[in-house]
Amino acid sequence: MELKGRVVVVTGGTRGVGAGIARAFLAAGARVVVCARRPPDRPVEEGDRRASFIAVDLREPAAVHDVFQEIAQRYGRLDCLVNNAGGTPYRLLGEGEGEAARHARVVELNLLAPMTASLAAHPWLRASRGSVVMIGSVSGTRPSPGTAAYGAAKAGLESLARSMAVEWAPEVRVNSLVPGMVRTELAHLHYGDAAGVEAVAATVPLGRLAEPSDIGAAAVFLASDRAAYVSGASLLVHGGGERPAFLDAATTNKEA
């Protein structure tokens, strides 16, 4: 249990990717605190170990500051912050009324909130020589039609992490973990029914969508001593990305 005794905060860790990350840290021996606006439907646990929960709106700096003060007082330390909270609805730019405000909220949640949480955690991470793991997205590395504001925010999050890695060194390491498509309980909202999910999975070179546990394992690595010299990095966890269309065309031509 390589992280035994260490204290880890996972934002948005009540379901999906966040819960998978929290469970991976529990399995690694860490004491895990999950922060989100609403409590999980069921406890986030791994074996006989369970994450604690603190409610907070990460878009409210004063509340976030108070939460990290509470965590530091409760546990006496903080070793890792995983900025996972985020997300977006599908909406093309230029459609609907009041869209500017909606897109601004997406940027606030996916870029400004992680910065707020990181700033609140910084004194405690500096004392423990800990680390920050930003959960980005492949949407920030390529065009992201339908989720443009989200993609822009995730691109900004990687840039923020690289700058923080320089400014906060050598006491605090900062890295980005960049997932591709992940199979969660909400996968149907993005990929359709079971057949749609499988069709999307077939476009990934490794032949499947990531599981939350895949993302969790990578996050544990970045937080562990095995990554002691890794800072300012962006770790792609996307199964090879998306299968290039020309490969399918070449295969079809070869068979013909």
Side-chain angles (χ1 to χ4, degrees):
M1 300 181 76
E2 58 188 316
L3 299 181
K4 184 176 181 179
R6 300 189 191 182
V7 178
V8 178
V9 172
V10 181
T11 68
T14 58
R15 64 183 183 184
V17 171
I21 292 171
R23 286 191 292 267
F25 275 100
L26 288 170
R31 293 176 287 178
V32 178
V33 182
V34 169
C35 295
R37 284 183 294 170
R38 292 180 292 275
D41 295 331
R42 56 174 179 256
V44 178
E45 52 194 4
E46 179 67 23
D48 60 352
R49 311 190 72 248
R50 178 178 294 185
S52 60
F53 172 79
I54 298 179
V56 63
D57 187 334
L58 294 162
R59 298 167 298 182
E60 298 180 2
V64 172
H65 175 269
D66 290 346
V67 160
F68 280 94
Q69 290 283 99
E70 178 183 344
I71 292 169
Q73 291 173 3
R74 181 187 302 182
Y75 295 100
R77 61 184 297 152
L78 175 62
D79 298 278
C80 180
L81 166 64
V82 182
N83 280 307
N84 166 78
T88 183
Y90 180 90
R91 185 179 296 275
L92 295 172
L93 291 171
E95 289 189 350
E97 296 181 1
E99 66 162 338
R102 279 192 294 269
H103 294 309
R105 287 194 293 271
V106 169
V107 174
E108 183 180 25
L109 176 61
N110 291 280
L111 177 57
L112 299 183
M115 182 167 62
T116 296
S118 299
L119 290 170
H122 179 242
W124 315 106
L125 294 173
R126 185 177 181 183
S128 68
R129 300 186 74 88
S131 70
V132 177
V133 179
M134 303 289 198
I135 304 300
S137 169
V138 292
S139 294
T141 67
R142 54 165 171 70
S144 186
T147 56
Y150 174 78
K154 290 299 189 180
L157 191 64
E158 282 194 70
S159 176
L160 175 66
R162 288 191 291 269
S163 294
M164 286 169 55
V166 175
E167 291 189 14
W168 291 4
E171 293 87 0
V172 181
R173 295 185 300 108
V174 185
N175 291 292
S176 295
L177 195 165
V178 185
M181 296 176 286
V182 185
R183 187 189 299 270
T184 70
E185 60 268 39
L186 298 179
H188 64 283
L189 297 178
H190 300 280
Y191 313 128
D193 58 14
V197 171
E198 294 309 316
V200 171
T203 68
V204 179
L206 288 188
R208 66 177 178 87
L209 301 186
E211 299 294 336
S213 59
D214 293 314
I215 312 305
V220 167
F221 164 71
L222 289 175
S224 74
D225 292 341
R226 289 181 291 168
Y229 199 66
V230 180
S231 193
S234 293
L235 176 59
L236 285 164
V237 185
H238 62 359
E242 299 175 30
R243 184 178 173 83
F246 71 80
L247 287 180
D248 292 327
T251 300
T252 301
N253 291 336
K254 184 176 181 179
E255 292 174 349

